[in-house]
Amino acid sequence: MRRFPRLLSPLDVRGVTLRNRIVSTAHGTFMSEGGLPTGRIAAYQEARARGGAGLIIHEASSVHWTAVGAGRYATCHTDACIPGYRAIADAVHAHGGVVFGQLYHPGRGDIAGSTSDGSIAVSWAPSPVPCERLQLMPRAMPTALVREVVAAYGDAARRLRAAGMDGIEIMGHHGHLVSQFLNPRTNLRTDVYGQDRLRFLMEIIEDVRAKIGDAAPLGLRIAGDELGFLGLPNAETVEICAAIDRLGRIDYYNVVAGSCSSFDGGIHVVPPMAIAPGYVAPFAAAIKAKVTKPVIVTGRINRPEVAEAILAAGQADLCGMTRAMICDPELARKITEDRIADIRVCIGCNQACIGHGAKGAAISCIQFPESGRETGLGRPKTRAAQAKRVLVAGGGPAGLKAAAVAAERGHSVTLYDRRARLGGQVRLAETLPGRAEFGGLADNLIHEAERAGVAVVLGTAVDRDLIDRVRPDAIVVATGGRPYWPHVDGRDSGHVVHALDVLEGRANVGASVVLVDTRLDWTAMGVAEKLARDGRRVRLAVTGHMAGQNIQGMVRDHWAGVLHGLGVAVAPYMRLSGIDGAAVVLQHMVSGAVETWADVDTVVLAAGQIQATELEDSLAGFNGDVHLAGDCLTPRTAEEAVLEGLQAGLAL
Ligand SMILES: Cc1cc2nc3c(=O)[nH]c(=O)nc-3n(C[C@H](O)[C@H](O)[C@H](O)COP(=O)(O)O)c2cc1C
Ligand code: SF4
């Protein structure tokens, strides 16, 4: 008997058979060029189809010139897009997959205003109500433009169908144009589109249906609750779906949460790991109770157990497992083959998937850098021409990935770690509040290394003696770093501790804490939360614009809310000038003004790490390949560690 009978059962949507209930919901890959789909995107989607996804909804594609952003965002508002989408549809079909296209217009939200040349474009919306998150004042769409855009949805759908997409999904969610028309707080119009706020969506549905014919499924993506300032609440969304359902034109509803229009709603657009798996299901259930067609639910469904439970409870008919398949394109196949332990579970870190979008880089995954690199580093691995004896020094993300890849390629690999447990810095990172799932990164890599046949030696630091005894053909140095102590007057006082010591439970922390953050990443935010939850008074001095400046926006915004709620006082633009007993002297990084914070029991320095180069320095005269990966090169993040581990494993 199958463990996930509901998740693996097929479903018919207007005559199109989905082989299971596992959906890769639409997600920008940031790999378009000049707004047009590329071969890299086709290879990316092909990998998910090969991996067995039941339905792939291809990324948002702009339907009209008023919806166009920078070139890496996809468009479908001219016929020039058709060959690129055809290549994607063909690639998915070649593996028995089903792919729908998604129709997108941001209105005043999301990519509104962004252009390829860096200037700010006019953003269009139902009414001139600014978007809090983008601080943009949009321009009200004249009625004639509204009608033109309605027709553009239908024309775009026709193009996607002509390219071979099996169905079409309309974006009615995330605070984009359709939801701006639906929302009485953003649609203040007095014309027909204001008198009846559903009219814009209903006209789009009619126009799309007329232009794609009766054969193709047509879906509506909608936020079950926008969960943010001036967003559409669940009660209003449920009524909207009920009204749309009465039209009888929509074949499925795809329920998410959140909105790009506000900071609080924005967190839910790609919910970070601090948010519970499957939390959107109750919103989906409320909609499902009012509609006659299947409902997809999406939001942190990262394991088949979560998905099956939602289906079993009748809260939805299909589950979006989107980052789950960015992280593991083979997810559906592994579930089908009952290889559950082999699933590389998405940890909701947002770092390399949506995080890459803000950096202008192609989509990837912190745990699986092969993702988004299907035509390069992510190509199927080949066996090494000559099997070597490989020694990997360091069992953090870089060493584990290098070892797994090298062993998979036929090398005989032994991995050493000086500690008693594999995982390196990940084992500290997972102790931060709300970040326990981060440990999954190490667990997944350990499983991959074990499966590939890597031998592991714990409690043994690698030095030159060991290398001379073992005499490997090649070495991967992945020894990471050690805490970095900045030079500052008073640093050597006993009440000055390192953030990593706090995480390791080695520091004696008093009641009143000043935390100085020179990394602007997860550590200071997490330590601040941890100490504040323990009842300490926490003041956080940040050497930059804001705490979390260097981490993904939704993760940062969520954490900023938590710290505010806990009463942590955050001071931006502050550098540490000196420590004098209970007084901490700080200097504004721009004005140069100096201020003293009094009554400090403990100063915590979140100053990151410095690279450990001892092993590398000892290798002079070693007669074999040496590869360096991760923080021992220079301390960065787990993403670079895993990527460089992959590169080392492929180079051997
Ligand atoms: C990189 C990235 C890009 C996204 N782009 C889109 C998009 O184009 N259209 C859309 O409807 N949702 C988009 N989303 C949201 C996803 O479809 C999905 O709702 C979200 O990732 C939460 O689901 P998950 O927890 O299964 O990943 C995007 C998500 C990610 C990670
Ligand atoms: S980068 Fe993080 S959130 Fe994104 S797919 Fe990978 S594990 Fe999931």
Side-chain angles (χ1 to χ4, degrees), residues 274-336:
I275 294 179
Y279 76 110
V280 183
F283 301 131
I287 290 173
K288 187 168 160 52
K290 290 287 185 96
V291 299
T292 55
K293 295 293 169 24
V295 168
I296 306 174
V297 65
T298 310
R300 283 272 285 138
I301 303 175
N302 59 349
R303 294 175 185 271
E305 294 83 351
V306 179
E308 186 71 15
I310 289 170
L311 301 185
Q315 292 172 300
D317 304 285
L318 303 105
C319 287
M321 301 184 74
T322 305
R323 283 171 294 172
M325 283 184 277
I326 298 174
C327 180
D328 191 343
E330 303 273 299
L331 173 89
R333 171 131 50 106
K334 289 176 182 174
I335 299 172
T336 309

Side-chain angles (χ1 to χ4, degrees), residues 270-271 273 322-328 344-355 364-368 371 441:
V270 188
M273 78 173 74
T322 305
R323 283 171 294 172
M325 283 184 277
I326 298 174
C327 180
D328 191 343
R344 185 183 309 104
V345 179
C346 165
I347 56 176
C349 68
N350 278 7
Q351 205 172 322
C353 49
I354 192 72
S364 191
C365 173
I366 181 176
Q367 301 192 66
F368 189 59
S371 198
L441 186 151

Side-chain angles (χ1 to χ4, degrees), residues 25-28 60 102 171 173 221 256 269 298 300 322-323 354:
T25 61
H27 54 285
Q102 193 188 52
M171 294 182 80
H173 65 301
R221 197 165 209 210
V256 275
V269 171
T298 310
R300 283 272 285 138
T322 305
R323 283 171 294 172
I354 192 72

Side-chain angles (χ1 to χ4, degrees), residues 36-59:
L36 297 178
T38 58
R40 286 174 72 193
I41 304 181
Y44 173 86
Q45 295 294 26
E46 181 174 13
R48 276 84 204 150
R50 194 190 305 118
L55 169 62
I56 292 172
I57 301 168
H58 188 63
E59 68 186 271

